[in-house]
Amino acid sequence: MTREAAIRAATAYLDEGGFTADLARRVAIPTESQNPDRKAVLGDYLEKEMRGSLEALGFTCQTFPNPAPNGGPFLVATRREPGAKHTLFSYGHGDVIRGQDAQWRNGLSPWSIVQEGEKLYGRGTADNKGQHTVNIAALAAVLKARGGKLGFNVVLLIETGEEVGSPGLDAFCKSQRQTWGADLFLASDGPRLSPERPTLYCGSRGAMNFDLSIDLRAGAHHSGNWGGLLADPGILMAHAIASIAGPSGQIRIPEWVPKELPASVRAALADCTVGGGSDGPSVDAWWGEPGLSPPERVYGWCSFDVLAFKTGNPEAPVNAIPGKATAHCQIRFVVGTNPEDFLPALRRHLDRQGLGMVQVELARTEYFRATRLDPEHPYVKWALASVAKTTGVKPALLPNLGGSLPNDVFSETLALPTVWVPHSYAACSQHAPNEHVLLPVMREGLAMMAGLFWDLGEASPLN
């Protein structure tokens, strides 16, 4: 009954094929939350796959409907032990983005596990089925090593709508907060700083998607007859976008960026190097906010991106001036900014530029908000020490993930200190064809989580 025994049991789960077998079943369930035809499948993942796996570990499971219209269901699994001093809240999401079946390379399918060397391919391997599979297995390993006890209570929530903005999650958690009585949060999603370095993060950047549109006239008109007479919406849209961010990506709207980079954030990122491994793209050192290092730009600052831009008929251009142009854009933002003012500030900015014809509209009513637990928090220091003890390596500490998650539900609505331990890496192709995980990273993830869960059963991280 030792910490080392728990870690050995966790890593044996992968070495002996249990991880791949369990993940293969889960990946085979096409839980595309963006596809309305898959709504019943979301419930199947919870009831036919996750319930049995968790009940085998002594969890009591209940599926709840989503309070949001058309939102996917929630599974809440609870395990309580007499005399336990802590209640850990953990989380995962069973939904995935669309499979994009036809775009995967030959020999691969989104709904089948395929191993090639150290890579395990399939939709959801990285985001997020593989990651919550690791954490559940680590709990099982600690239970085995401790003779059927953890030393703490667990509330595990698995949602099925994270890929569509987690509709209803906040309202549901608000309604259950007193029932759960949790005091700590620990979960896994997103990528490590680099494949080789264990990573923890304390929150996430927010994400707001919005649409820009210009509608000048019905139809298109011959560019020889009307060129120089009719305003071109594509040119106007290009100027609108260029007014928002400069040629090196620096945001030009003051309301969209924080007033400063906190000293604790700068200190936490001082020894961090951003990297996606051999498969990842190279960082463009000249891009983004000047005066900041690459880690500070992605983890400590805001960024603006144009995700799609259309005018005319790109697939089959003709010699005609189009009447319309659209752009789908996104701002990723950090604590210290006010997202409620992002679009009003953009409206004011465009009007000052003489671009009143550009319409601005929020792409969806719900968006992920920015959160960040103080890197000096005792829970963060405890988690860092546990991971370092397991791996023998100083883990990277990110004040927040560069991507976005519904962490505000856990840190604000549930008022929990939040620590995330990711088991993926930046070049895993999540949200794209050929999604995969690295088996060595998953194996180390199993060891780290077993160590964290063991240590949580030994002593309070908040003392």
Side-chain angles (χ1 to χ4, degrees), residues 1 57-58 79-81 139-152:
M1 195 171 100
L57 301 180
R79 191 180 190 283
R80 301 191 183 274
E81 296 181 358
L139 284 168
V142 173
L143 276 168
K144 180 180 179 181
R146 272 218 169 95
K149 294 183 178 181
L150 291 172
F152 54 92

Side-chain angles (χ1 to χ4, degrees), residues 43 46-47 51 61-65 73-76 172:
L46 301 181
E47 283 294 325
R51 176 185 285 271
C61 298
Q62 186 174 358
T63 302
F64 293 86
F74 304 104
L75 176 70
V76 177
F172 176 67

Side-chain angles (χ1 to χ4, degrees), residues 222-410:
H222 192 280
S223 58
N225 298 334
W226 294 98
L229 301 177
L230 296 181
D232 188 318
I235 293 175
L236 290 169
M237 184 64 78
H239 278 281
I241 292 170
S243 78
I244 296 172
S248 63
Q250 181 181 13
I251 293 173
R252 289 172 161 171
I253 302 176
E255 296 93 332
W256 281 18
V257 296
K259 296 186 182 302
E260 62 180 0
L261 186 71
S264 61
V265 173
R266 192 181 294 274
L269 295 173
D271 69 342
C272 293
T273 301
V274 178
S278 58
D279 296 332
S282 299
V283 172
D284 292 318
W286 54 271
W287 185 261
E289 182 69 18
L292 300 183
S293 68
E296 289 168 349
R297 291 173 194 169
V298 72
Y299 302 118
W301 209 251
C302 303
S303 62
F304 165 73
D305 289 288
V306 180
L307 306 183
F309 181 6
K310 182 177 180 180
T311 187
N313 187 351
E315 293 78 18
V318 296
N319 293 326
I321 302 168
K324 301 177 181 179
T326 60
H328 184 72
C329 305
Q330 182 183 75
I331 179 169
R332 299 273 182 171
F333 58 96
V334 295
V335 171
T337 58
N338 177 16
E340 301 298 328
D341 192 40
F342 285 167
L343 297 194
L346 176 58
R347 178 73 274 159
R348 297 190 297 269
H349 170 81
L350 292 173
D351 290 345
R352 289 194 296 268
Q353 305 300 313
L355 294 166
M357 78 292 294
V358 181
Q359 299 301 305
V360 180
E361 185 176 1
L362 192 64
R364 57 192 184 197
T365 56
E366 297 192 46
Y367 56 88
F368 292 132
R369 298 181 180 273
T371 58
R372 180 189 291 150
L373 180 64
D374 186 347
E376 295 297 316
H377 192 282
Y379 184 32
V380 177
K381 293 184 175 181
W382 170 87
L384 287 170
S386 175
V387 172
K389 181 178 180 180
T390 298
T391 63
V393 174
K394 180 186 178 184
L397 175 62
L398 307 180
N400 48 260
L401 181 68
S404 301
L405 291 162
N407 194 63
D408 60 298
V409 176
F410 314 125

